[in-house]
Every structure is written in structure tokens, then in C-alpha cells.
Amino acid sequence: MQLQQMYQEIILDHYKNPHHRGLRDPFEAEVHHVNPTCGDEVTVRVHLEGEGPDAKVVDVSYDGQGCSISQASTSVLTDLVIGRTVGDAFGTMDSFVELMQGRGRIEPDEDVLEDAVAFAGVAKYPARVKCALLGWMAFKDAVARVVDGGQA
Amino acid sequence: MTTTAAPLDVAALKADFPILARTVREGKRLVYLDSGATSQRPRQVLDFERQYIETANAAVHRGAHQLAEEATDLYEGAREKIADFVGVGFDEVVFTKNATESINLVAYAFGNATFSDDPAAKRFALGPGDEIVVTEMEHHANLLPWQQLAQRTGATLKWFSVTAEGRLDLSDMDELITPRTKVVAFTHQSNVLGTINPVSVLVAKAQSVGALTVLDACQSVPHSTVDFKALGVDFAAFSGHKMLGPSGIGVLYGRSELLQAMPPFITGGSMIEQVFMDHSTFAPPPQRFEAGVPNTSQAIGLGAAVDYLSALGMDRVAAHEHELTGAALSGLQEIPGVRIVGPADNVDRGSAVSFVVDSVHAHDAGQVLDSLGIEVRVGHHCAWPLHRKLDAAATVRATFYVYNDLADVQALLDGVRETQKFFGVGA
Ligand SMILES: Cc1ncc(COP(=O)(O)O)c(C=O)c1O
């Protein structure tokens, strides 16, 4: 059944037991993103140390409400980027975005994406791709505010 | 009329809708429960539109040749059918692209009147101190145009709130509608809650203070007998694609005397009387409001849709939907962990049934239903403030129409139970 392909156990696990959820201090930027078609929303805070692409993502905290896909993908995001450099985190993000926009035709690299490979099935449903990207786009935006703001 | 007693023969009329024969998601029977967003079209409408294009296609109101004559007759004939269908005069029906454009037409015409030196237009002018009243249950199409008009003119926007049951809260009507009120714009039937609003109460109050009324009839005209004259509204809007007709065609009703006095919104060809290099005069309504070559085949198709609905009988359509709505409401309430958003009693409500499944986001519920072939709408259904008010980030919405039957309702109920099972919630 296609449904199981979309709602992989990993996704449902992250949905029921989200990682790193809740808004924490300290943080350098906080952003609020919404999905205008369904009203889902997420607030993301990032805490970075250092400068530019080598800055370290010390913490990503978040709060929001939304469907299992958007909530789980934000939880997976935090696992993948906390403790990494901004450059690495953005590299992972690019792979994830590519996977999600691939209409289900891209073979995900588990070494890079880890739990995020579970979202491969979601990519077959164009209406849900935005859900999967909600938290990631918020993270990108938040980091850009710190990095661009800091370097300017 | 004795014929209205006989129920719709749904099995027979289903055959008129080619799309209902297809399957979805790996061979599932299509259970289409999203007619509130857009309805499906019967062969009769498609054939009529096609026949026009194949035999009489021409630019209406613009030529003296035979095709132009025939096309114009068909186009104006459609206007006549539609006018009859909603109980108004032929020249009170303006064709637009959709209801959204119809409402914008009124709002922009009022804005143009505000800045016009034509004395006839003054009655529509708005400014600081004037008030526009809407409701919290409006579709964005009947909210944003008024927000924008208020911002442009300095008028103030006010609104009726909605009760927890999803009815309009009329308790502060006397404070909301006052001599400062210039416009009262509200929906006839909520596209989320199904609630049918007390039009006569609102119209009487608006008239008592000299305010104009604008009715969003998108979800009422397709589903019941609606007579704008009997309702007494000044303007009303609806869309063809929600009533078995084509997309790209909408209707604005305006009381004749008002349309006569109202300045145009979109200007250009076909809406003029005389044109000079530095100024122009405008055609009488409805042409004044139909600049450019219109969506001709769509208007003609909508005429055919009205014929189709009239042949079914709108009282029978309403009775049929009432039955399905009742079955859906009681069936959903029997499922633990399901909450109806909107009136749970089948009184003064139409066939939009919105609900939330505890612990399952509407998007996820919709995905499971879709995998079973059940097409519902999920999200805020272009009524975000309403969802905020009712504390539901997103809802699942089923809407019923002439081609749905009790088997479709049962499929929905089974699908909701299946959803709960899939996500491990509920009883
Ligand atoms: C109550 C209501 N008003 C307005 C609209 C807007 O209709 P359209 O998108 O056809 O302009 C809709 C349809 O979505 C509706 O349900």
C-alpha cells in the first residue's frame, strides 16, 4: 500500500516522540514560518558559535503545530544539523531539498540523510512536499539571518 | 408540485458525469466529496459548450455577421436562464470570471465611486467614519476585498463573531450595524461550517440604517432554491464551477438601480457608449461591467448547467443533500475522537461537513482518505480567521452534491475509522 511508503515508521516515531522540541535559550535568530495552504506553522531558533560556513550549529530548537510530515521532518532536521558546521548542515539540506523535489525519482543517500531518507515516499505527493520542507526552510532562514547579519 | 416529492435518482444521474467512472490510487472507486471546492460536470454541460464552439463560436457583441449574432444570442440566452434561476432581472446579471472577481468588482466600484465626481456615484463612496461590516466566517474572497477597500478609503472594518457551535453571533448586531454602516457583506452558507445565515434578519437591519448588502452565494445557489429578490440583498456573487458549470465563469447580481449608478471596475472594449481621446462614457449595465471579450463558452456552459439543475429541481437537490448531511453528521458523531466543526444538528445548514480527528492532523487524515479513493478537502478552506477562532488549525471537509449517495457517506465514515486505526488513535 502506498500509504505505508509515505508514513514510514521512522516518520511516525519522530512525530510521536519529536527530538529537540521546545524553544530554548540562548539563540541568535528566531523565525516563524507558515504554510499558507494549510495553516501549519513552525517557530525555529538557532544558536550558532563562530563565523561564516565554519560556524557551529550548537542548538536548533522549535515549536509549532502541523501534520506528521512537517513535525517529523523538523525533528529529523535537528538530529542532522545540531553539532555540525553551517556549511555541512546546508549541504545536508541541499540533499534533502533535492530528494523532496525529485518526485520520488531520486535515490536518497543514507550516509548523508540518515533518518531523512524516510521522506523519499513523501516526494511522490507534490501537495505534501511543502510540509516536509517547512522546518528546513525556517532553519535556513534563521541561519541566514545570523550569518548574513553577522558578516555584514 | 408533486414531482418534488420523488427523490433524486442518483444512480441514473451519476452516468451523466464521466469522471465518476474513473478510479484513483490503484483502482479505488472515486468518492468525490470536494464539490464545495469545485463540482464535476455532466455531459450535458460539456456537450452544450462543445456544440457552441463547433457551430457558432464568435466574439459576442462585436460583429454583424451571422456567427456573431448566434454567439451573442446564446450568450445572452445563458444570462436569461441564470437570471431566472436566481429570481432576478436579465440586466441585473453580470458575468465575471468567478465569485472572487464579482466581489472585487463591487469593492473596486465602491472605491472608484469614492474618488469619482459623478454625483450618481456618491451613494457608494466611503471614507473615514464609515463602516463596512463582515463576519468571521467569511471565505477570504469575501474578506480581503473589504479589508482592502477599508484601507484605501479610510473606512473601518467590523465583523460579527461566530459562536462555538459555528453560528453567527447576532447578540451585538445593534452595535455592529449602525447609521455609520455603509456595507454589510456576508455569506449565505459557510463553506466550512455549512451554517446557513439568517439573511432576512441581516438585510432588514442593514436596510434600516441605509447600508448596502452584499451576499456571498457561492455555497447556496448550487445547492438550493435561491431568490435574490425575495432575500432583498443588493448584490450577490456566485461561481459557475461550483454548480456543475465550467470554471472561468462567475456571476454578480446587482439591483438594477444600483448597477445603473455604479462606476465600472475594469474598463476597455465592449463596456463603452462613446469614446474620445480624453474621456469616455459607459454602456448601461450589465455591459458596463463586462469589459473585453468575455468567457463566452463558459457562460453558455453555465446556462446549460442551470438547465440541468432546474430539470433535477432545486428543492429535490436540497432534500437529497439534507439527507446525506444528516447521515454524515450522525455517523461522524458516533465515532469517538471525532469533533464536528460547525453545527452538529442538521438544521439551517448545508452540506459542508468539517471535522477534526483527535490526534490526527487534517492533512494526515486526508492522506489516508485519499489512499482509499475518498477526495476531501483539508486545511483551512480559505477561511483562516474562522479556523483560528474555532481553535482548529486545519479541518477535514466533506461536501456533498447531486451525484453523491449514502454509499459515499458510508465510505467516508469507514475511512475515518481506518484513519484512526492507521495512526493508532481513537477507540
Ligand atoms: C463561500 C465561498 N465564497 C467564495 C468562494 C470563491 O469562489 P471562487 O474561487 O470561485 O471565486 C468560495 C469558493 O471557494 C466559497 O466557498
Side-chain angles (χ1 to χ4, degrees):
Chain A
M1 195 181 175
Q2 285 185 332
L3 209 56
Q4 266 85 16
Q5 258 181 40
M6 173 164 187
Y7 291 106
Q8 306 259 330
E9 272 314 311
I10 297 176
I11 294 180
L12 294 176
D13 284 349
H14 275 274
Y15 178 47
K16 285 174 187 155
N17 303 298
H19 303 178
H20 306 110
R21 195 181 163 90
L23 293 171
R24 288 179 294 276
D25 292 321
F27 64 96
E28 290 75 47
E30 175 181 297
V31 299
H32 181 69
H33 278 211
V34 298
N35 180 345
T37 50
C38 60
D40 285 0
E41 38 195 312
V42 67
T43 302
V44 170
R45 287 179 179 176
V46 293
H47 173 36
L48 307 182
E49 263 169 19
E51 297 280 307
D54 291 331
K56 191 168 163 206
V57 181
V58 180
D59 194 21
V60 178
S61 62
Y62 65 97
D63 197 6
Q65 59 83 21
C67 64
S68 59
I69 304 299
S70 71
Q71 299 302 296
S73 87
T74 309
S75 170
V76 168
L77 158 88
T78 59
D79 282 350
L80 283 172
V81 302
I82 292 174
R84 312 266 300 276
T85 65
V86 165
D88 286 351
F90 276 21
T92 305
M93 183 172 67
D94 288 345
S95 304
F96 186 68
V97 171
E98 191 193 353
L99 173 68
M100 294 318 299
Q101 292 175 345
R103 289 237 161 198
R105 285 192 287 267
I106 288 173
E107 204 43 57
D109 183 345
E110 191 157 3
D111 291 339
V112 177
L113 288 175
E114 301 177 25
D115 275 4
V117 295
F119 290 85
V122 178
K124 292 192 193 121
Y125 295 85
R128 303 303 297 275
V129 169
K130 262 196 191 150
C131 308
L133 291 177
L134 183 66
W136 292 72
M137 291 302 124
F139 167 71
K140 181 181 181 185
D141 185 15
V143 171
R145 285 182 199 202
V146 184
V147 174
D148 294 353
Q151 285 180 338
Chain B
M1 282 205 292
T2 47
T3 50
T4 54
L8 285 188
D9 186 351
V10 177
L13 74 83
K14 264 185 190 225
D16 292 336
F17 294 81
I19 201 168
L20 298 179
R22 70 162 286 179
T23 59
V24 292
R25 301 287 183 217
E26 301 174 330
K28 304 289 186 325
R29 174 173 88 85
L30 170 62
V31 179
Y32 187 74
L33 300 182
D34 200 16
S35 300
T38 201
S39 58
Q40 300 301 346
R41 285 171 232 175
R43 273 201 188 86
Q44 288 84 339
V45 168
L46 300 170
D47 289 348
F48 200 79
E49 209 180 332
R50 183 184 186 93
Q51 190 194 346
Y52 157 69
I53 294 168
E54 288 182 347
T55 63
N57 184 44
V60 294
H61 291 302
R62 287 198 179 177
H65 52 71
Q66 184 177 344
L67 287 188
E69 211 175 276
E70 290 181 12
T72 303
D73 281 351
L74 281 163
Y75 179 71
E76 293 304 328
R79 193 192 307 276
E80 216 154 54
K81 288 178 195 175
I82 293 157
D84 283 349
F85 189 67
V86 291
V88 305
F90 168 75
D91 57 354
E92 295 177 312
V93 166
V94 176
F95 283 125
T96 61
K97 169 165 68 115
N98 49 31
T100 302
E101 186 180 285
S102 301
I103 297 166
N104 273 277
L105 190 162
V106 178
Y108 274 91
F110 288 2
N112 291 343
T114 302
F115 304 104
S116 159
D117 41 25
D118 175 1
K122 278 295 151 230
R123 64 192 296 181
F124 305 112
L126 288 149
D130 291 334
E131 293 176 356
I132 301 169
V133 177
V134 295
T135 86
E136 223 171 20
M137 68 167 79
E138 295 313 307
H139 187 283
H140 297 163
N142 199 31
L143 173 59
L144 274 74
W146 305 115
Q147 278 180 357
Q148 293 289 311
L149 180 64
Q151 281 169 21
R152 283 197 302 278
T153 59
T156 303
L157 186 72
K158 298 198 153 178
W159 53 88
F160 282 96
S161 55
V162 170
T163 66
E165 295 74 46
R167 301 274 182 197
L168 217 50
D169 179 0
L170 295 174
S171 61
D172 53 355
M173 182 165 77
D174 291 340
E175 289 93 78
L176 279 169
I177 301 181
T178 70
R180 287 187 299 277
T181 310
K182 291 293 177 299
V183 183
V184 182
F186 59 100
T187 192
H188 194 176
Q189 184 166 318
S190 163
N191 65 312
V192 176
L193 309 164
T195 308
I196 296 176
N197 285 320
V199 179
S200 58
V201 174
L202 291 162
V203 165
K205 182 68 193 174
Q207 282 176 348
S208 76
V209 299
L212 294 167
T213 48
V214 181
L215 186 71
D216 178 348
C218 261
Q219 298 291 346
S220 56
V221 166
H223 303 287
S224 55
T225 304
V226 175
D227 182 327
F228 292 138
K229 285 278 160 157
L231 291 174
V233 292
D234 294 308
F235 297 95
F238 57 97
S239 284
H241 68 94
K242 293 184 197 286
M243 50 190 291
L244 312 182
S247 54
I249 191 73
V251 170
L252 171 68
Y253 156 70
R255 208 146 54 72
S256 173
E257 176 221 350
L258 297 171
L259 290 183
Q260 303 276 353
M262 205 164 78
F265 164 37
I266 295 174
T267 55
S270 295
M271 53 75 68
I272 53 96
E273 187 183 56
Q274 289 191 82
V275 176
F276 306 92
M277 279 318 290
D278 59 348
H279 73 282
S280 302
T281 56
F282 309 129
Q287 271 69 42
R288 185 186 306 161
F289 304 102
E290 293 182 7
V293 172
N295 286 348
T296 316
S297 67
Q298 292 86 339
I300 290 168
L302 180 55
V306 161
D307 283 342
Y308 188 92
L309 285 169
S310 300
L312 295 181
M314 290 311 289
D315 292 345
R316 291 204 299 166
V317 169
H320 173 67
E321 290 182 28
H322 187 73
E323 184 195 356
L324 300 188
T325 306
L329 287 172
S330 52
L332 286 168
Q333 287 178 93
E334 279 166 17
I335 306 177
V338 173
R339 174 167 72 95
I340 308 270
V341 176
D345 49 338
N346 199 9
V347 178
D348 287 336
R349 68 154 11 262
S351 77
V353 178
S354 295
F355 58 94
V356 291
V357 181
D358 286 345
S359 307
V360 182
H361 189 275
H363 249 169
D364 295 319
Q367 200 77 49
V368 179
L369 293 172
D370 174 57
S371 76
L372 300 168
I374 304 160
E375 317 276 62
V376 293
R377 174 113 184 238
V378 298
H380 51 59
H381 326 307
C382 301
W384 207 335
L386 174 65
H387 276 75
R388 206 174 280 125
K389 168 65 179 250
L390 295 178
D391 225 5
T395 54
V396 181
R397 181 187 75 180
T399 45
F400 305 106
Y401 209 6
V402 293
Y403 35 69
N404 293 119
D405 54 21
L406 287 169
D408 294 343
V409 176
Q410 193 57 49
L412 173 70
L413 300 174
D414 294 344
V416 170
R417 287 203 165 85
E418 188 69 34
T419 302
Q420 290 183 317
K421 214 164 89 193
F422 186 82
F423 287 103
V425 301

